[in-house]
Amino acid sequence: MCGIFGYIGEERPLQLWLDGLSRLEYRGYDSCGVATIKNDFIFIKKQQGKILDLRTNLKNLSLEKFNIGIAHTRWATHGKPNNLNAHPHIDCGKKIAIVHNGIIENYLLLKEMLLAERHKFLSQTDTEVITHLIEKFYQGNLLGAILKCVKELKGSFAIAIISTYQPKQLIGIRKGSPLILGLTDKGQFLASDIPAILPLTKKVVYLEDEQIAILEKDKVNIFDFEGRPNRVNIERINIKEEQALKKGFPHFMLKEIFEQPEVLDKTFLLYLKKEKIHFPQLNLKESFLKNLKNIFITACGTAYHAGYLGKYFLEKYCGVNVYIDVASEFRYRNFNLPNRSLLISISQSGETADTLFATRDAKSKKIKVLSICNMLGSSLAKISDNLILTPAGPEIGVASTKAYTAQILVLILFSLYLAKIKNIISEKFYQDAIVELKAIPNLIREILGQSKKIKSIADKFSKFGCFLFLGRGINYPSALEGALKLKEISYIPAEGYPAGEMKHGPIALIDEYRAVVCIAVYDNLYEKMVSNIQEIKARNGKVLAILNYQDIQASKLSDEAIYIPRLKNQDFSPLLIAPVLQLFAYYVAKNLGKEIDQPRNLAKSVTVE
Ligand code: AGP
């Protein structure tokens, strides 16, 4: 996934583009570049490395101003991160410069055709074929050339274009990758995501798939891929700028961990009315829900772990069959999706390619889709006929935290909503559950108050070269998520495992060099977790236990313990365990001096397969 930023309007210093790009750096950061038009020539500066290095290398232009430009920060898909493969890319005649987010799946074929027509390529990227295609089709009408070009491209793309053919136009193209316009009366912006536009304007247009926007200093026109004019749907974004900034925290991830209580409070505001659960954007008829027999859940990464928890809640409270698979597998399995089924797709960004493909496949089989998504205006939000938004706000840290707990809470609320419609749970159980859930945000605040203690434990455990995370039942997915958090920001190998599986292999790993995080809260499987801890200690493994206050058994056996409040309904305990394991991962990575908000090789949303 990459970040695109563009502007056309009153003259501005290059700082504008670099600042916009910096707010997208979480989307990819292995190389970057800018292009503008100067004295009727295209000027490009691009390089491997971070935006900070680019700023330094553009110092000599810091006093100049420009009225048009595009910029790009890259997460390499085709072609190594280096100066030549950095964007922007340019045609042979040096008249067209573009930046691109996505993948051109048929680029090799197109490249062969263009090479045969003597086009000169400078990079190994898929993106570069776009510039030469537009050049090939250009016969005096830039839009016409672009319309011919997009018909040749297969795959997903968000593209920004400037050209000396039309020096007063900034062009944006969207198909499968997000592109948002920001409008002001002094100039127009385009960007891959909201945070780049937030400090500049609240007036936005979410480009739809297969749309082309032509931005000029004081106007915007939108066309479809047939060249027909489309309506310009202007919306106002209601995310305050400070929500996207760090608010004094050293990392976005830590800020977002600490935002979780407020996010869960907001979730109740949205989906609880007079102590009744309701989902305003749900178009599923009660009759459909009452007879619902099969639910499929698909997602990737952390969203998948939230979905796994959803599986436990839905099976336990709603008496339905729940099948779950990661989206990259789900879409290739021949699920016979019987009718009266529902697919629940979960995604923070709403742009994860695998999740989008899996959702589209299910829709093509006439399966009703309910999406749980954090980004209004995202591709997933647009293709879903039923949407439950998680009100987590922009999540900038690559490691997902506040979106995860919001997804869990939404899944619990949806399970209770469905169970009520199916008359499986009593009114008392329903009301007691709501009372307990509403107390969770303050319990998380209490847990976050332990951050110093969690940090000291994390510092001790930072020396271990490999981790196992063990949980049972409802907290097996919590163990999976704890392992993912640690590995993706500290780069320490970590594996989540169902504790009952220890004897079937993983126990061979246990020795004094192995750290094992055991989730052993008081539930029906607590005693079994105590036995697991005993087995680990008998083999000199080091145990960090996540326990309830006043725990007496497991605490005596463990090397370290972090205590959380005990709930009446321990099925909701994953909401309390998540912030503990997020903080643990954060402080281990911090102790190791890792790039926490921008871990190597990762991107915030994987918009390619
Ligand atoms: C989570 O910390 C990771 N960054 C990653 O696994 C992420 O959850 C996954 O890529 C799915 O992203 P999505 O929720 O935006 O679809």
Side-chain angles (χ1 to χ4, degrees):
M1 180 189 74
C2 307
I4 289 177
F5 182 82
Y7 167 74
I8 185 166
E10 285 186 5
E11 291 205 328
R12 309 286 288 268
L14 271 179
Q15 186 81 16
L16 172 82
W17 285 271
L18 295 170
D19 291 349
L21 213 49
S22 303
R23 292 191 291 268
L24 295 172
E25 198 163 24
Y26 67 91
R27 298 175 63 86
Y29 29 83
D30 57 44
S31 54
C32 52
V34 292
T36 182
I37 296 176
K38 232 172 107 175
N39 314 324
D40 206 26
F41 281 97
I42 287 186
F43 166 82
I44 290 183
K45 183 76 182 167
K46 62 181 188 175
Q47 62 192 61
Q48 182 177 355
K50 299 230 161 172
I51 294 163
L52 208 56
D53 315 326
L54 183 63
R55 264 185 211 281
T56 312
N57 295 334
L58 283 168
K59 261 206 164 38
N60 58 324
L61 288 175
S62 56
L63 300 177
E64 290 194 40
K65 294 196 172 186
F66 304 92
N67 61 12
I68 187 170
I70 53 178
H72 185 271
T73 185
R74 185 172 184 239
W75 181 73
T77 54
H78 294 72
K80 284 195 174 58
N82 60 29
N83 294 354
L84 278 179
N85 291 331
H87 300 208
H89 291 284
I90 197 159
D91 64 319
C92 305
K94 299 188 179 6
K95 304 273 187 202
I96 303 161
I98 76 155
V99 290
H100 164 230
N101 173 33
I103 273 200
I104 307 302
E105 294 178 350
N106 61 334
Y107 85 98
L108 284 174
L109 218 60
L110 294 170
K111 189 166 182 174
E112 269 167 43
M113 172 193 73
L114 292 160
L115 285 168
E117 294 174 8
R118 301 191 183 294
H119 284 267
K120 298 266 174 301
F121 281 78
L122 303 174
S123 78
Q124 299 106 9
T125 65
D126 54 337
T127 302
E128 197 181 347
V129 296
I130 303 168
T131 60
H132 296 291
L133 262 183
I134 297 172
E135 179 179 38
K136 165 189 166 68
F137 291 127
Y138 182 76
Q139 287 163 351
N141 177 330
L142 186 58
L143 177 59
I146 290 170
L147 289 169
K148 286 184 184 154
C149 167
V150 293
K151 286 193 168 51
E152 299 298 320
L153 302 178
K154 286 189 175 34
S156 66
F157 44 89
I159 303 167
I161 303 170
I162 58 173
S163 168
T164 52
Y165 294 129
Q166 290 288 357
K168 294 191 172 9
Q169 288 184 353
L170 168 64
I171 296 166
I173 308 172
R174 173 187 170 148
K175 181 177 182 241
S177 292
L179 199 58
I180 302 161
L181 312 183
L183 312 181
T184 73
D185 49 17
K186 295 200 173 68
Q188 321 306 332
F189 300 90
L190 57 78
S192 302
D193 199 356
I194 288 283
I197 290 180
L198 258 179
L200 303 160
T201 180
K202 296 278 189 292
K203 270 171 75 179
V204 296
V205 176
Y206 294 96
L207 268 195
E208 308 272 342
D209 266 359
E210 303 206 357
Q211 281 192 330
I212 297 168
I214 298 191
L215 296 86
E216 297 179 29
K217 180 179 171 197
D218 48 11
K219 66 176 174 179
V220 175
N221 288 300
I222 294 179
F223 302 88
D224 64 18
F225 277 13
E226 298 309 318
R228 292 175 298 228
N230 281 194
R231 224 159 64 81
V232 181
N233 288 326
I234 299 173
E235 300 182 37
R236 285 196 68 76
I237 27 176
N238 55 13
I239 303 171
K240 296 193 195 62
E241 182 181 333
E242 65 274 8
Q243 271 186 294
L245 303 177
K246 283 186 200 169
K247 281 198 299 193
F249 284 90
H251 294 99
F252 278 112
M253 181 180 178
L254 192 61
K255 168 180 159 281
E256 290 152 6
I257 290 172
F258 276 79
E259 281 179 343
Q260 291 180 108
E262 170 197 331
V263 168
L264 299 190
D265 282 331
K266 265 190 217 156
T267 307
F268 290 118
L269 276 177
L270 278 177
Y271 302 123
L272 262 191
K273 286 269 174 294
K274 299 189 183 68
E275 305 315 286
K276 279 250 175 294
I277 299 166
H278 84 130
F279 297 107
Q281 295 142 305
L282 207 58
N283 309 320
L284 296 170
K285 288 195 176 55
E286 275 213 13
S287 54
F288 169 80
L289 291 171
K290 225 179 190 47
N291 301 314
L292 187 59
K293 284 269 169 290
N294 303 295
I295 292 181
F296 295 83
I297 299 176
T298 195
C300 300
T302 289
Y304 169 74
H305 299 149
Y308 214 121
L309 283 164
K311 170 182 164 67
Y312 279 90
F313 305 136
L314 288 160
E315 284 171 343
K316 180 166 182 179
Y317 296 118
C318 307
V320 291
N321 306 313
V322 185
Y323 309 87
I324 184 166
D325 210 339
V326 288
S328 52
E329 290 298 314
F330 179 87
R331 51 182 296 222
Y332 298 110
R333 290 178 57 181
N334 290 321
F335 268 120
N336 67 328
L337 300 165
N339 51 19
R340 289 195 323 184
S341 298
L342 175 69
L343 172 72
I344 299 178
S345 295
I346 306 169
S347 174
Q348 186 286 127
S349 62
E351 299 301 344
T352 300
D354 289 320
T355 308
L356 287 171
F357 279 112
T359 306
R360 289 193 182 105
D361 290 351
K363 283 193 71 169
S364 67
K365 293 170 187 152
K366 307 280 175 263
I367 298 300
K368 289 190 187 302
V369 170
L370 162 60
S371 290
I372 297 174
C373 184
N374 193 45
M375 296 308 281
L376 192 64
S378 66
S379 302
L380 183 65
K382 287 178 185 296
I383 65 172
S384 301
D385 21 48
N386 295 279
L387 177 68
I388 300 180
L389 267 178
T390 49
E395 188 178 67
I396 310 298
V398 165
S400 184
T401 50
K402 58 179 182 173
Y404 173 63
T405 44
Q407 289 160 356
I408 298 174
L409 179 56
V410 161
L411 283 159
I412 294 175
L413 292 174
F414 181 72
S415 304
L416 294 169
Y417 172 81
L418 181 59
K420 200 77 180 49
I421 288 174
K422 283 172 166 284
N423 288 321
I424 295 177
I425 57 172
S426 68
E427 181 62 22
K428 178 168 178 357
F429 180 90
Y430 177 80
Q431 289 304 337
D432 289 352
I434 288 172
V435 167
E436 180 141 65
L437 285 166
K438 286 181 72 176
I440 295 260
N442 280 338
L443 296 180
I444 293 179
R445 286 183 179 96
E446 203 178 295
I447 289 167
L448 296 173
Q450 292 189 55
S451 61
K452 278 200 173 44
K453 177 188 175 201
I454 297 172
K455 180 183 183 311
S456 68
I457 292 173
D459 290 345
K460 283 184 207 160
F461 275 77
S462 304
K463 64 177 188 292
F464 287 101
C466 184
F467 280 75
L468 263 183
F469 284 71
L470 301 180
R472 285 177 180 260
I474 197 78
N475 280 312
Y476 163 44
S478 299
L480 293 174
E481 174 59 12
L484 174 61
K485 281 289 94 49
L486 182 69
K487 76 178 93 166
E488 70 174 321
I489 60 174
S490 71
Y491 314 151
I492 300 175
E495 197 170 359
Y497 235 89
E501 275 293 292
M502 271 288 283
K503 296 178 289 302
H504 304 284
I507 199 157
L509 292 170
I510 304 302
D511 57 26
E512 65 274 29
Y513 306 107
R514 187 86 47 204
V516 187
V517 177
C518 294
I519 302 169
V521 293
Y522 281 125
D523 58 17
N524 60 326
L525 297 165
Y526 173 76
E527 295 305 336
K528 297 223 176 337
M529 281 308 298
V530 172
S531 315
N532 283 125
I533 294 172
Q534 282 162 335
E535 288 157 11
I536 295 160
K537 289 312 297 168
R539 292 159 181 84
N540 303 318
K542 288 288 174 286
V543 172
L544 164 58
I546 313 297
L547 307 173
N548 284 129
Y549 294 148
Q550 287 92 40
D551 178 288
I552 39 175
Q553 269 185 282
S555 49
K556 288 200 185 79
L557 297 164
S558 307
D559 298 279
E560 293 288 349
I562 298 169
Y563 297 91
I564 62 173
R566 182 173 181 175
L567 300 170
K568 287 196 203 66
N569 185 340
Q570 290 279 57
D571 287 346
F572 305 150
S573 61
L575 283 164
L576 303 182
I577 291 159
V580 171
L581 296 182
Q582 291 161 2
L583 283 174
F584 176 74
Y586 173 81
Y587 285 121
V588 168
K590 194 164 193 311
N591 180 286
L592 299 174
K594 300 300 182 190
E595 285 256 14
I596 291 169
D597 283 335
Q598 299 165 4
R600 68 184 180 196
N601 310 338
L602 289 177
K604 182 58 186 169
S605 157
V606 184
T607 56
V608 295
E609 288 178 73

